[in-house]
Amino acid sequence: MKPYIIQSVILKFVNVCNLNCKYCYVFKDKSSKYIGLPDFISFELYETLLDRVIEHCQRYDLKSFTIVFHGGEPLMFGLENFKKLAALNEIKFNDTGIGIGFGLQTNGTLMNVEFADFFSKNDIQVGFSLDGYEEIHNKHRIFRHSGKGSYAAVKKGIKIYKAAQQPIDILCVINEDTNPLKFYKEFKKMGVNSCSLLPKDANYTNWDSTKNQPIANWLITLFDIWFNDTSDNKPAIAPFTFLTNLLLGVEEDSNDIFGRCENTAILVFSDGQIRVTGTEEGEEWHGKLSSYNILQNNFTEIFEEKTFRTYYDLHLDDVLCETCRKCKIVDICGGGRLSHRYSKENAFDNPTVYCDVMKALITHIQHNLIDKMPVDLREKLKLQKLNINEL
């Protein structure tokens, strides 16, 4: 078996949240794997996680590793508890030669000056979840107890964090009923540095394919606005930056949606369970993973289970379905996120439910890149525009 090298852990260390987002998969389903987990990770278990990370880095001579604090809502863990984690990090990684990086994804409603100062001093890169302007954000991201929209609280948290001289990185769920221009202007007004657009969780058991064309139209319109923006405060927007680089032949790092790289991230939950990213697609797959835990298993042993290997190799030919393997843009698309390929009949042996969206967006971006090139360079490279009808 080839070496399977993990480079980051998404740590689901908080299993509570003060919001009740309408499309959130964590707390909606009573059969969800999140039910029954501890609200917060224990310090003893966190220390075990650090031991596993160090063990893995030393086994494969890794000089860097990333831990991303995720939830639930991470800030509900409390500042004093974060300080205890920081102290453990210092003790564990001192003199190991391992560069450990930290990230955190928050809904932003609990951000204050003290949190912002702590994250800044401890080099914890913070991302905020914000779905655009007030009307659209408040439609989906509401407070759990009051039912009111959270936009004002998130905007206040972002302002506080920005005042600490920190970059503003946004995670945004795609809502095709959003006005693209208004959406873009809102993020520029906030001084957003980067934004990652995420499709809603979906697979063949629950997706309405008629939604694909509106989503594609929205993404293409937003791309055109972004692509033609020549201002100094132009934000980086994924997937636009990612796909542009891939189309230009620039190699990108591990990603679970696009490209051909391996997926080198795993999930660790507040009880120590080790899982793969994006497993909301069938309880038969959850059961295969439930026995793996950092208390008993290291990050190499988990790959004895085929499902872990499948997620790691999600963009490689051995995992891709025949339709994807034959596609002209497979090296760019990579087959999409594995969970979006799931069906009860074929498991993951399908194209992504967002296949039509990806074809349309990638074709549009490629056409724009070619149009921007000098004619002599285009002719020298013998570049041909993609025909979406041939994909």
Side-chain angles (χ1 to χ4, degrees):
M1 187 170 67
K2 73 174 186 180
Y4 288 86
I5 303 173
I6 296 302
Q7 295 178 320
S8 62
V9 165
I10 300 171
L11 182 59
K12 295 275 191 175
F13 74 125
V14 173
N15 198 43
V16 292
C17 188
N18 60 332
L19 296 189
N20 186 28
C21 300
K22 293 183 179 179
Y23 40 61
C24 179
Y25 54 82
V26 177
F27 304 113
K28 297 292 186 185
D29 186 355
K30 292 183 179 179
S31 65
S32 169
K33 62 179 177 287
Y34 296 90
I35 302 299
L37 291 175
D39 287 348
F40 305 103
I41 196 171
S42 69
F43 296 112
E44 294 77 14
L45 190 60
Y46 183 76
E47 192 170 357
T48 299
L49 171 66
L50 299 186
D51 289 336
R52 292 298 189 193
V53 169
I54 293 169
E55 173 189 23
H56 188 74
C57 289
Q58 291 175 342
R59 179 190 293 267
Y60 293 107
D61 195 29
L62 298 180
K63 301 304 180 185
S64 62
F65 198 92
T66 302
I67 296 174
V68 180
F69 296 110
H70 216 283
E73 172 45 46
L75 299 196
M76 293 183 75
F77 192 62
L79 181 58
E80 293 306 312
N81 286 330
F82 268 110
K83 290 179 179 179
K84 293 177 182 178
L85 297 188
L88 287 172
N89 296 335
E90 181 67 25
I91 293 170
K92 288 290 185 179
F93 286 97
N94 189 35
D95 296 329
T96 63
I98 301 168
I100 184 73
F102 295 97
L104 181 144
Q105 188 65 35
T106 175
N107 63 40
T109 60
L110 301 177
M111 181 63 69
N112 57 33
V113 173
E114 291 75 22
F115 267 128
D117 183 61
F118 171 80
F119 295 139
S120 176
K121 289 181 178 178
N122 287 274
D123 293 323
I124 298 174
Q125 306 301 310
V126 175
F128 292 84
S129 296
L130 180 69
D131 285 350
Y133 49 87
E134 185 170 9
E135 177 187 350
I136 199 71
H137 179 93
N138 283 346
K139 181 178 178 181
H140 299 285
R141 295 185 179 271
I142 59 177
F143 281 105
R144 181 166 299 278
H145 297 297
S146 70
K148 295 181 179 179
S150 60
Y151 175 85
V154 180
K155 188 174 181 180
K156 179 181 178 182
I158 290 174
K159 185 177 181 180
I160 290 171
Y161 190 69
K162 189 175 181 64
Q165 305 301 311
Q166 295 300 302
I168 303 302
D169 302 316
I170 300 294
L171 196 64
C172 177
V173 174
I174 295 171
N175 291 290
E176 65 275 14
D177 51 348
T178 305
N179 181 303
L181 182 59
K182 188 175 180 180
F183 172 93
Y184 190 70
K185 286 182 175 180
E186 178 76 4
F187 280 4
K188 287 198 68 175
K189 183 179 178 181
M190 283 188 178
V192 169
N193 299 90
S194 68
C195 170
S196 294
L197 302 174
L198 294 181
K200 295 183 179 74
D201 257 359
N203 58 60
Y204 285 93
T205 69
N206 59 19
W207 185 239
D208 177 4
S209 61
T210 62
K211 295 181 179 180
N212 280 352
Q213 191 60 55
I215 293 172
N217 293 343
W218 187 85
L219 285 168
I220 286 170
T221 302
L222 183 62
F223 172 81
D224 288 343
I225 295 168
W226 172 81
F227 190 68
N228 293 299
D229 182 1
T230 59
S231 65
D232 293 335
N233 64 333
K234 178 179 180 177
I237 298 182
F240 303 154
T241 50
F242 202 93
L243 292 175
T244 297
N245 284 341
L246 287 171
L247 285 163
L248 292 174
V250 179
E251 186 175 343
E252 286 283 356
D253 295 332
S254 173
N255 184 281
D256 72 339
I257 300 182
F258 300 108
R260 288 288 225 160
C261 288
E262 295 154 325
N263 181 16
T264 59
I266 57 171
L267 296 178
V268 174
F269 288 85
S270 60
D271 65 347
Q273 282 188 62
I274 309 171
R275 299 253 183 173
V276 289
T277 55
T279 50
E280 304 308 318
E281 63 290 303
E283 287 301 320
E284 66 269 33
W285 290 93
H286 300 333
K288 294 180 179 181
L289 307 177
S290 59
S291 62
Y292 292 93
N293 195 295
I294 59 174
L295 291 170
Q296 292 87 35
N297 304 107
N298 61 43
F299 295 157
T300 299
E301 293 170 337
I302 62 175
F303 290 101
E304 295 172 2
E305 164 56 50
K306 181 181 178 181
T307 309
F308 280 103
R309 300 196 301 272
T310 299
Y311 271 82
Y312 190 93
D313 293 334
L314 81 168
H315 297 310
L316 305 187
D317 283 350
D318 288 346
V319 174
L320 292 172
C321 70
E322 183 178 2
T323 300
C324 291
R325 292 197 301 270
K326 293 180 178 180
C327 184
K328 292 181 180 179
I329 59 171
V330 64
D331 290 338
I332 310 301
C333 165
R337 179 170 284 165
L338 195 68
S339 59
H340 296 164
R341 307 176 202 170
Y342 179 79
S343 73
K344 290 183 178 179
E345 296 77 17
N346 302 321
F348 302 114
D349 192 22
N350 307 288
T352 168
V353 294
Y354 292 109
C355 181
D356 291 341
V357 176
M358 295 171 78
K359 285 179 181 179
L361 180 60
I362 291 169
T363 299
H364 184 79
I365 293 175
Q366 192 246 18
H367 287 190
N368 274 268
L369 291 174
I370 289 178
D371 287 343
K372 286 288 186 179
M373 289 182 179
V375 175
D376 56 343
L377 177 61
R378 188 192 316 174
E379 292 176 350
K380 181 180 180 180
L381 296 175
K382 298 180 179 180
L383 294 176
Q384 298 293 323
K385 289 186 175 180
L386 292 167
N387 184 340
I388 192 170
N389 296 318
E390 296 177 354
L391 299 180

